[in-house]
């Protein structure tokens, strides 16, 4: 109910609050404003969720103070509340954060209503064409740059080597082979684990589920002329949804109510359950999960290090691979990650621009990579290392896709309508009928209506 209420709030606030900065997106500050501020400016950065480690937050605060003499305050915002908070805060010059991280798929909505300052004059200095271009595009309006990529985190497969081997299946090289393999694993259930999934994917998990749509040549929406149209009824989209529905029926025991939350815990649980440990919180377990690359820090046996319980990866038990397509390339997966921009209403434009320079510096970009977050600048991708996780991340990201850059996409994400649709598909509903129904729901929302 809370999520549905936020949609109403978003719709009203988008028309009223964001109306205060609607129309043409904000212009760049003058050339003099882009220089280091003459007087120290104290600024606020909103970070979304907990993906940016404390070490990096401390670096930003210290470096900003050293460089400008000002104080950087970092406030973490929960992903679930972010759109509503941005809608209220961004137009308010007295309460707006100066610099904002937001989801890449949310960027188009806010850039189209002028919520962010034009930073086109900084584009080359901050990385230019070496920045992840799909993220750059969703932060553009009329060829001008308003938000730029902060980090990327493509999705790939984490699997139990021991269970795959016991089931007699190998790592697949095509999507059809993957679909067949995980159904075989679920059927054989070689470790005899209760409520076992060959591939664990929640009924509401559209962020991973859309990979089957993309891999079959479908899409969620397309622009026709000046308007966006939902394309769930496209034959290629239907084909992908039908494959996904079959997997959810034959390979997955994940609840229909589950989203793309921390599914990797079910990969860990399968080890505990096969050893007879009944203290786990759930009886669900999995041989395969799909998750962003940074999930590997949370996979493995629990061990104590420096007085803390942490997960320790074991190469003999766990492995990774990019979801394959049927065309010799990796399947197009949803590119997770964030964009970052300067609030158009900020009174501290010069200080905010200095922070952007720090974030896009070689030092900070490499710190992102060393912490498992894909750097925005391709020059620093090597900072992630050359282990199996970095290779899987780069491979899966090579053919990744974003959701449609439609003005109303953030509204759709906040509405829960995609979760609702995918859950009905997972329950065995008529795919074509559901697609036609939700095309009618989503098309007006895509266009901000």
């Amino acid at each position: 109910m809370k999520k549905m209420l936020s949609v109403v709030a978003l719709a009203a606030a988008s028309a009223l609050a964001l109306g205060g900065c609607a129309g043409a997106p904000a212009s760049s500050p003058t050339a003099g404003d882009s220089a280091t501020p003459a007087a120290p400016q104290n600024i606020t950065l909103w970070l979304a969720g907990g993906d940016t480690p404390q070490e990096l937050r401390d670096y930003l605060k210290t470096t900003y103070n050293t460089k400008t003499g000002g104080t950087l305050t970092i406030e973490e915002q929960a992903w679930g509340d972010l759109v509503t908070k941005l809608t209220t805060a961004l137009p308010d010059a007295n309460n707006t954060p100066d610099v904002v991280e937001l989801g890449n798929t949310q960027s188009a909505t806010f850039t189209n209503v002028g919520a962010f300052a034009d930073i086109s004059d900084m584009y080359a200095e901050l990385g230019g064409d070496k920045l992840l271009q799909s993220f750059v595009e969703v932060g553009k309006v009329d060829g001008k740059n308003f938000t730029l990529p902060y980090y990327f985190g493509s999705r790939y497969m984490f699997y139990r080597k021991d269970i795959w081997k016991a089931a007699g299946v190998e790592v697949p090289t095509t999507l059809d082979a993957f679909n067949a393999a995980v159904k075989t694993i679920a059927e054989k259930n070689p470790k005899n684990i209760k409520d076992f999934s060959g591939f664990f994917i929640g009924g509401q998990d559209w962020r991973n589920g859309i990979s089957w749509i993309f891999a079959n040549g479908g899409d969620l929406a397309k622009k026709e002329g000046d308007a966006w149209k939902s394309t769930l009824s496209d034959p290629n989209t239907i084909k992908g949804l039908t494959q996904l529905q079959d997997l959810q029926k034959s390979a997955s025991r994940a609840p229909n109510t589950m989203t793309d939350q921390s599914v990797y815990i079910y990969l860990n649980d399968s080890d505990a359950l096969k050893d007879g440990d009944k203290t786990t919180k759930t009886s669900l377990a999995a041989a395969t999960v799909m998750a962003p690359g940074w999930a590997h820090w949370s996979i493995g046996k629990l061990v104590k290090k420096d007085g803390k319980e942490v997960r320790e990866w074991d190469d003999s038990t766990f492995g990774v691979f990019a979801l394959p397509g049927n065309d010799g390339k990796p399947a197009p997966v949803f590119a997770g990650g964030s964009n970052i921009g300067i609030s158009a209403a900020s009174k501290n434009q010069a200080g905010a621009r200095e922070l952007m320079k720090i974030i896009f510096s070689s030092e900070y970009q490499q710190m992102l990579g060393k912490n498992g977050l894909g750097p925005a600048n391709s020059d620093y991708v090597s900072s992630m290392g050359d282990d199996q996780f970095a290779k899987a991340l780069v491979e899966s990201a090579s053919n990744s896709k974003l959701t449609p850059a439609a003005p109303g996409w953030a509204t759709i994400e906040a509405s829960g309508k995609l979760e609702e649709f995918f859950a009905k598909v997972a329950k065995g509903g008529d795919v074509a009928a559901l697609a036609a129904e939700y095309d009618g729901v989503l098309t007006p929302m895509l266009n901000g209506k």
Side-chain angles (χ1 to χ4, degrees), residues 200 258 261-270 282 284-286 289:
F200 189 97
M258 183 172 251
Q261 56 208 70
S262 303
V263 296
Y264 40 78
I265 67 173
Y266 302 104
L267 200 72
N268 292 321
D269 276 350
S270 59
T282 175
L284 297 170
V289 300

Side-chain angles (χ1 to χ4, degrees), residues 159-166 287 315-320 388:
Y159 76 108
R160 287 289 303 263
K161 290 180 178 179
D162 54 340
I163 296 178
W164 276 61
K165 182 177 180 180
D315 276 334
S316 66
T317 303
F318 301 100
V320 299
Q388 60 183 318

Side-chain angles (χ1 to χ4, degrees), residues 308-366:
K308 297 180 180 179
E309 281 194 336
V310 297
R311 292 282 181 182
E312 188 172 76
W313 180 276
D314 176 9
D315 276 334
S316 66
T317 303
F318 301 100
V320 299
F321 61 89
L323 179 68
N326 282 327
D327 56 0
K329 301 177 183 178
V333 298
F334 171 49
S338 298
N339 275 30
I340 196 161
I342 299 171
S343 170
S346 167
K347 298 177 181 179
N348 303 306
Q349 294 289 320
R353 289 160 75 88
E354 286 302 312
L355 178 60
M356 292 289 279
K357 293 176 186 178
I358 296 169
I359 288 171
F360 287 90
S361 68
S362 61
E363 292 83 4
Y364 190 77
Q365 289 289 300
Q366 291 179 77

Side-chain angles (χ1 to χ4, degrees), residues 220-235:
L220 294 173
K222 290 184 179 179
K223 194 172 185 180
E224 296 183 353
D226 293 331
W228 284 85
K229 179 182 178 182
S230 176
T231 55
L232 296 177
S233 295
D234 179 271

